[in-house]
Amino acid sequence: MTSVTRGGEIMTQFINSKEDAVTDAIDGLIRASGGQLARLDGYPHIRVVVRSDWDKSQVALVSGGGSGHEPAHAGFVGMGMLTAAVCGGIFASPSVDAVLAAILAVTGPAGCLLIVKNYTGDRLNFGLAVERARALGHKVSMVVVDDDIALPDLPQARGVAGTLFVHKIAGALAEQGAELETLTNAAERVIANTHSIGMSLDTCSVPGSPKEPRIPPGMAELGLGIHGEAGVEQIVYGGAKNAIAAVAAKLATVMDKQPHAVLLNNLGGASALEMAVLANELLTSSIASRLKLIVGPAPMMTSLDMQGFSVSVYPVTQEDESLLAAACGPTAWPGCKSIKPITLQALPDGLRPTQPTPSWHDQTANLLTRWCQVLIDSEADLNALDAKSGDGDTGSTLAGAAKALLNALDEMPLADHPQLYRAIGQALSQTMGGSSGVLLAIFFSAAGEAASSGLPRVAALKEGLNRMQQIGGAKLGDRTMVDALKPALDALDDSVACAARAARTGALHTATILKASAGRAAYINAEQLRGHIDPGAEAVARLFEALEAQSAK
């Protein structure tokens, strides 16, 4: 959302002001917790989220640091994980008083363990608070997480998402009633063996600050920090597979051969779809054989809206496995699951129709190849047109179907046109998503039925169009592919050139139709439609123009 706020500052985030963002977020988290969370009084200087059911009968676990990493840290407060989280400003350490307030609020006779990420401000402020708490007679220990392997030459590595392994394992032990010394030793063991590294395609947007355009288009930054610190290197971005390969290569140098748990963390700006793709690549990567359990993919320790991810690995014992799998209260913890291979189930009856006998026909093969190439070459243009009135994927959908048809060309009955129409319809129904794929599958399947009954080629294609219109509901003037396809088929008996001209005229006419009655364009107002050709109609026109060019040879 973009709006003008106090003082003329332009805001591009859903916040009220940068000054109130953290306190508003904390209150939102608590209000939505179902009564499981509370906070200490003392806003805005004391921002501490605590378990509302805490009775001080066990060792308390306290963590925290700068905000902007949500759901860390307050999102992990609850049974089986943290007892309290101390929230600083965005990317800023909380004060000594805030940390001390948290310690005093939750620490009982069993003591308190502080889990701190390795940043100077956090180490100093949490460390001083520990000393003050000890001076008051409390049993308190502190561990410092330094899991980031991006900058191996640093004497003190940063603490990043691997901190979540510490929270979960120590939290499960605390829930079982373990003593402070046991928890401290376990946390230090996890820290010593946890390794993480991140990658991003873009920097994050800090409220009230200009975005740093540090990463050029087409590049990815490897090893950047969770506060937007620059990474160890920028590499050419070549897709999810290459991104995971670069991360896996770094992690492989610090992993032994025993089974590991892996934590796949969304740094804030990657979509669920992207994270699932990254998970697939990670679980088939060069380190996949050493991975046994996975946490995520999920946003756990983010960097505001950073378009990136991080991977943390930890070699697990049987005890660690049970601790990672132990039930806990915070819903931000996505759970720890066993990694299993993909299992396949047979398609149900009816989805494996009898395959036609392949046959070859040079002229038909050349025409289909030419048409498929036209759609592949038109992908960007058609996507751009669709972005004006739809979701911007018509070109990609048609190009994907065209590539699938090209790959299946040798299996097609090219010398038997009735069977060919049916085969194309079947292929489109399997490879082409959305309503356009279904409609074109209906068109070719119905044309195949009509041709099998003895209708000539053009009449059979017209029957396919009629059936597609009956089921889809589109008619001339509705601003769809029908506006180019129907005139073209009506003119095809005259000549291919006439059909190509009719298709082009029909496609151009869609740019003047200011109200669509079918498809996603039906939801778009007239001004957004004005002057933009319907992408389906444009695709039809290009196909008939390609047919004309081929016929002229």
mmCIF file of all heavy atoms in Angstrom, residues 280-299:
data_model
loop_
_atom_site.group_PDB
_atom_site.id
_atom_site.type_symbol
_atom_site.label_atom_id
_atom_site.label_comp_id
_atom_site.label_asym_id
_atom_site.label_seq_id
_atom_site.Cartn_x
_atom_site.Cartn_y
_atom_site.Cartn_z
ATOM 1 N N ASN A 280 12.474 -28.475 -3.190
ATOM 2 C CA ASN A 280 12.704 -29.584 -4.121
ATOM 3 C C ASN A 280 14.158 -29.642 -4.560
ATOM 4 O O ASN A 280 14.776 -30.717 -4.602
ATOM 5 C CB ASN A 280 11.789 -29.439 -5.337
ATOM 6 C CG ASN A 280 11.913 -30.604 -6.291
ATOM 7 O OD1 ASN A 280 11.745 -31.761 -5.909
ATOM 8 N ND2 ASN A 280 12.241 -30.312 -7.542
ATOM 9 N N GLU A 281 14.725 -28.492 -4.865
ATOM 10 C CA GLU A 281 16.126 -28.457 -5.289
ATOM 11 C C GLU A 281 17.057 -28.832 -4.145
ATOM 12 O O GLU A 281 18.049 -29.557 -4.344
ATOM 13 C CB GLU A 281 16.480 -27.073 -5.835
ATOM 14 C CG GLU A 281 15.726 -26.673 -7.099
ATOM 15 C CD GLU A 281 15.947 -27.634 -8.248
ATOM 16 O OE1 GLU A 281 16.964 -28.357 -8.243
ATOM 17 O OE2 GLU A 281 15.104 -27.676 -9.155
ATOM 18 N N LEU A 282 16.752 -28.367 -2.939
ATOM 19 C CA LEU A 282 17.589 -28.685 -1.785
ATOM 20 C C LEU A 282 17.594 -30.184 -1.505
ATOM 21 O O LEU A 282 18.645 -30.777 -1.234
ATOM 22 C CB LEU A 282 17.085 -27.924 -0.567
ATOM 23 C CG LEU A 282 17.785 -28.200 0.767
ATOM 24 C CD1 LEU A 282 19.256 -27.805 0.700
ATOM 25 C CD2 LEU A 282 17.083 -27.452 1.897
ATOM 26 N N LEU A 283 16.422 -30.806 -1.604
ATOM 27 C CA LEU A 283 16.302 -32.220 -1.262
ATOM 28 C C LEU A 283 16.737 -33.144 -2.391
ATOM 29 O O LEU A 283 16.647 -34.372 -2.269
ATOM 30 C CB LEU A 283 14.868 -32.526 -0.820
ATOM 31 C CG LEU A 283 14.399 -31.713 0.401
ATOM 32 C CD1 LEU A 283 13.007 -32.111 0.819
ATOM 33 C CD2 LEU A 283 15.379 -31.852 1.562
ATOM 34 N N THR A 284 17.213 -32.569 -3.478
ATOM 35 C CA THR A 284 17.828 -33.356 -4.555
ATOM 36 C C THR A 284 19.222 -32.820 -4.881
ATOM 37 O O THR A 284 19.782 -33.132 -5.925
ATOM 38 C CB THR A 284 16.952 -33.319 -5.830
ATOM 39 O OG1 THR A 284 16.716 -31.952 -6.215
ATOM 40 C CG2 THR A 284 15.612 -34.002 -5.609
ATOM 41 N N SER A 285 19.777 -32.008 -3.979
ATOM 42 C CA SER A 285 21.062 -31.343 -4.222
ATOM 43 C C SER A 285 22.228 -32.256 -3.862
ATOM 44 O O SER A 285 22.063 -33.411 -3.465
ATOM 45 C CB SER A 285 21.138 -30.061 -3.392
ATOM 46 O OG SER A 285 21.239 -30.396 -2.008
ATOM 47 N N SER A 286 23.421 -31.697 -3.949
ATOM 48 C CA SER A 286 24.637 -32.462 -3.675
ATOM 49 C C SER A 286 24.749 -32.890 -2.212
ATOM 50 O O SER A 286 25.508 -33.805 -1.885
ATOM 51 C CB SER A 286 25.868 -31.628 -4.052
ATOM 52 O OG SER A 286 25.905 -30.424 -3.291
ATOM 53 N N ILE A 287 24.010 -32.238 -1.302
ATOM 54 C CA ILE A 287 24.062 -32.617 0.109
ATOM 55 C C ILE A 287 22.828 -33.408 0.533
ATOM 56 O O ILE A 287 22.654 -33.713 1.714
ATOM 57 C CB ILE A 287 24.223 -31.377 1.024
ATOM 58 C CG1 ILE A 287 23.037 -30.416 0.854
ATOM 59 C CG2 ILE A 287 25.549 -30.680 0.749
ATOM 60 C CD1 ILE A 287 23.040 -29.266 1.870
ATOM 61 N N ALA A 288 21.958 -33.740 -0.422
ATOM 62 C CA ALA A 288 20.686 -34.377 -0.078
ATOM 63 C C ALA A 288 20.872 -35.701 0.655
ATOM 64 O O ALA A 288 20.086 -36.042 1.541
ATOM 65 C CB ALA A 288 19.852 -34.587 -1.342
ATOM 66 N N SER A 289 21.910 -36.445 0.304
ATOM 67 C CA SER A 289 22.117 -37.755 0.923
ATOM 68 C C SER A 289 22.429 -37.637 2.416
ATOM 69 O O SER A 289 22.308 -38.614 3.161
ATOM 70 C CB SER A 289 23.251 -38.492 0.215
ATOM 71 O OG SER A 289 24.475 -37.784 0.345
ATOM 72 N N ARG A 290 22.827 -36.453 2.857
ATOM 73 C CA ARG A 290 23.154 -36.255 4.270
ATOM 74 C C ARG A 290 22.002 -35.623 5.056
ATOM 75 O O ARG A 290 22.142 -35.336 6.244
ATOM 76 C CB ARG A 290 24.404 -35.375 4.388
ATOM 77 C CG ARG A 290 25.683 -36.100 4.017
ATOM 78 C CD ARG A 290 26.888 -35.173 4.084
ATOM 79 N NE ARG A 290 27.238 -34.641 2.776
ATOM 80 C CZ ARG A 290 28.262 -33.838 2.539
ATOM 81 N NH1 ARG A 290 29.054 -33.483 3.534
ATOM 82 N NH2 ARG A 290 28.510 -33.402 1.316
ATOM 83 N N LEU A 291 20.868 -35.410 4.391
ATOM 84 C CA LEU A 291 19.729 -34.761 5.033
ATOM 85 C C LEU A 291 18.673 -35.798 5.407
ATOM 86 O O LEU A 291 18.228 -36.573 4.562
ATOM 87 C CB LEU A 291 19.122 -33.708 4.103
ATOM 88 C CG LEU A 291 20.080 -32.628 3.599
ATOM 89 C CD1 LEU A 291 19.355 -31.659 2.685
ATOM 90 C CD2 LEU A 291 20.739 -31.897 4.773
ATOM 91 N N LYS A 292 18.269 -35.795 6.663
ATOM 92 C CA LYS A 292 17.289 -36.763 7.161
ATOM 93 C C LYS A 292 15.974 -36.103 7.571
ATOM 94 O O LYS A 292 14.900 -36.670 7.379
ATOM 95 C CB LYS A 292 17.879 -37.514 8.352
ATOM 96 C CG LYS A 292 16.963 -38.600 8.918
ATOM 97 C CD LYS A 292 17.614 -39.340 10.074
ATOM 98 C CE LYS A 292 16.706 -40.462 10.575
ATOM 99 N NZ LYS A 292 17.329 -41.188 11.720
ATOM 100 N N LEU A 293 16.058 -34.910 8.154
ATOM 101 C CA LEU A 293 14.883 -34.200 8.649
ATOM 102 C C LEU A 293 14.855 -32.798 8.043
ATOM 103 O O LEU A 293 15.910 -32.230 7.752
ATOM 104 C CB LEU A 293 14.926 -34.085 10.177
ATOM 105 C CG LEU A 293 15.078 -35.372 10.987
ATOM 106 C CD1 LEU A 293 15.294 -35.033 12.454
ATOM 107 C CD2 LEU A 293 13.848 -36.246 10.822
ATOM 108 N N ILE A 294 13.655 -32.242 7.905
ATOM 109 C CA ILE A 294 13.557 -30.876 7.395
ATOM 110 C C ILE A 294 12.575 -30.070 8.234
ATOM 111 O O ILE A 294 11.524 -30.556 8.648
ATOM 112 C CB ILE A 294 13.134 -30.848 5.906
ATOM 113 C CG1 ILE A 294 13.139 -29.400 5.377
ATOM 114 C CG2 ILE A 294 11.774 -31.511 5.691
ATOM 115 C CD1 ILE A 294 13.034 -29.291 3.882
ATOM 116 N N VAL A 295 12.975 -28.836 8.514
ATOM 117 C CA VAL A 295 12.117 -27.846 9.153
ATOM 118 C C VAL A 295 11.802 -26.795 8.093
ATOM 119 O O VAL A 295 12.700 -26.185 7.530
ATOM 120 C CB VAL A 295 12.817 -27.190 10.357
ATOM 121 C CG1 VAL A 295 11.894 -26.160 11.002
ATOM 122 C CG2 VAL A 295 13.250 -28.240 11.366
ATOM 123 N N GLY A 296 10.520 -26.609 7.807
ATOM 124 C CA GLY A 296 10.133 -25.682 6.755
ATOM 125 C C GLY A 296 9.796 -26.412 5.482
ATOM 126 O O GLY A 296 9.565 -27.618 5.498
ATOM 127 N N PRO A 297 9.792 -25.704 4.344
ATOM 128 C CA PRO A 297 10.151 -24.289 4.190
ATOM 129 C C PRO A 297 9.109 -23.374 4.821
ATOM 130 O O PRO A 297 7.910 -23.615 4.700
ATOM 131 C CB PRO A 297 10.197 -24.102 2.667
ATOM 132 C CG PRO A 297 9.257 -25.143 2.137
ATOM 133 C CD PRO A 297 9.377 -26.319 3.062
ATOM 134 N N ALA A 298 9.593 -22.320 5.467
ATOM 135 C CA ALA A 298 8.705 -21.376 6.140
ATOM 136 C C ALA A 298 9.498 -20.136 6.525
ATOM 137 O O ALA A 298 10.716 -20.189 6.675
ATOM 138 C CB ALA A 298 8.107 -22.016 7.398
ATOM 139 N N PRO A 299 8.817 -19.012 6.700
ATOM 140 C CA PRO A 299 9.482 -17.830 7.265
ATOM 141 C C PRO A 299 9.653 -18.029 8.756
ATOM 142 O O PRO A 299 8.679 -18.177 9.488
ATOM 143 C CB PRO A 299 8.499 -16.684 6.945
ATOM 144 C CG PRO A 299 7.164 -17.356 6.840
ATOM 145 C CD PRO A 299 7.420 -18.742 6.319
#
